[in-house]
Amino acid sequence: MSTPKENKKWAKPLGILVILLAIVGIVFIIITIINSISAKATASKKAEMQKFQKMLVPVVMNDIDDFDDITKANMSQLIEASVWAIIKSDVTTDQYEVEDGLILYPAADVEAKFISLFGAEREIEHQTVSSAAFEFVYDEEKGVYKAPITGVDPTYTPKVLDITEKSNTVILTVAYLSGSGFEQAENGDIVEPTPSKYVKVTLREKGKAYYISAIQPTSAPETLGK
């Protein structure tokens, strides 16, 4: 049977041990919370990058010209991107009328995509747009754009590398990856091509959405070279 004196002897070490265990427990909880917050922030940023990448696909694919302000952008290229935004969306050809092997996209749908991508600061000027690979014919009488059913390979694919938020503006650093430059490694993984160029895309907030207000050339992020 232990004596009061012996109990007192062990009281202090046990007290210290209890305090140490409590501290370790608190530290563990703090670390767990920090890691959880960090993981959620990383996942949130990754999801945001993917959202903006999807938004930029029809804009980047045919390498439209840079512009410092949406009011100075090439209108035919903006319309081109708007039509491609419909084609690249989840809609099917069954949702639109087909005539002589061409899909008829209502001008109202193209205008809606135009506003979604580029805002309402600049009014759309409906017109036929064409390139060496395709032509979107604007039929004013029917109020539609006639587009080929077959698609074209994209010149570039966007990859968002960084997001910077400033007030009601979001600035994206975007790499342009050659659409035909992707390769498959021996283990089956897809290997991305070296970026052909980098641009800074400025998005402005309108309501809960963002629209593109500028596309400007920029240099590769410093972190890529480290």
Side-chain angles (χ1 to χ4, degrees):
M1 183 175 178
S2 61
T3 64
K5 190 173 183 179
E6 289 175 331
N7 290 338
K8 189 174 182 180
K9 175 183 177 182
W10 288 101
K12 187 174 182 179
L14 285 173
I16 294 174
L17 179 60
V18 169
I19 292 173
L20 289 175
L21 289 174
I23 292 173
V24 170
I26 292 172
V27 170
F28 176 78
I29 292 172
I30 292 174
I31 291 175
T32 300
I33 293 173
I34 291 174
N35 288 340
S36 176
I37 293 173
S38 178
K40 288 181 180 179
T42 299
S44 177
K45 186 171 184 179
K46 185 176 181 180
E48 194 173 29
M49 284 181 168
Q50 291 174 340
K51 178 186 71 175
F52 287 136
Q53 276 181 192
K54 184 176 181 180
M55 173 187 181
L56 292 175
V57 166
V59 179
V60 168
M61 61 179 288
N62 290 315
D63 193 22
I64 71 174
D65 298 336
D66 303 328
F67 53 87
D68 296 328
D69 187 280
I70 190 63
T71 60
K72 300 176 182 177
N74 184 311
M75 176 55 70
S76 66
Q77 292 181 341
L78 299 185
I79 292 175
E80 171 194 324
S82 301
V83 176
W84 278 114
I86 297 176
I87 297 173
K88 291 291 184 179
S89 64
D90 297 327
V91 301
T92 63
T93 55
D94 296 337
Q95 295 175 247
Y96 294 99
E97 183 182 349
V98 177
E99 180 184 277
D100 299 328
L102 299 172
I103 301 179
L104 309 186
Y105 295 109
D109 289 7
V110 175
E111 184 168 351
K113 283 295 183 183
F114 181 96
I115 294 173
S116 174
L117 285 172
F118 307 110
E121 292 180 28
R122 186 172 181 186
E123 186 175 348
I124 189 171
E125 299 166 18
H126 292 293
Q127 58 191 268
T128 294
V129 298
S130 60
S131 72
F134 62 87
E135 182 177 48
F136 299 145
V137 178
Y138 175 57
D139 187 325
E140 184 177 4
E141 184 178 346
K142 292 186 176 181
V144 297
Y145 279 87
K146 300 179 179 180
I149 294 178
T150 57
V152 298
D153 293 329
T155 302
Y156 293 113
T157 295
K159 181 176 182 179
V160 177
L161 303 176
D162 186 53
I163 300 176
T164 302
E165 297 184 14
K166 295 182 179 179
S167 185
N168 65 336
T169 300
V170 171
I171 299 175
L172 309 176
T173 301
V174 183
Y176 277 44
L177 308 180
S178 171
S180 60
F182 288 83
E183 298 180 354
Q184 189 170 26
E186 292 183 1
N187 62 359
D189 292 341
I190 299 299
V191 180
E192 295 179 351
T194 300
S196 300
K197 66 176 184 177
Y198 300 89
V199 301
K200 179 177 69 176
V201 179
T202 301
L203 306 177
R204 295 196 181 280
E205 186 177 10
K206 184 174 180 59
K208 294 183 179 180
Y210 288 92
Y211 67 90
I212 300 168
S213 65
I215 299 178
Q216 301 163 305
T218 190
S219 55
E222 293 182 5
T223 53
L224 295 181
K226 295 182 181 180

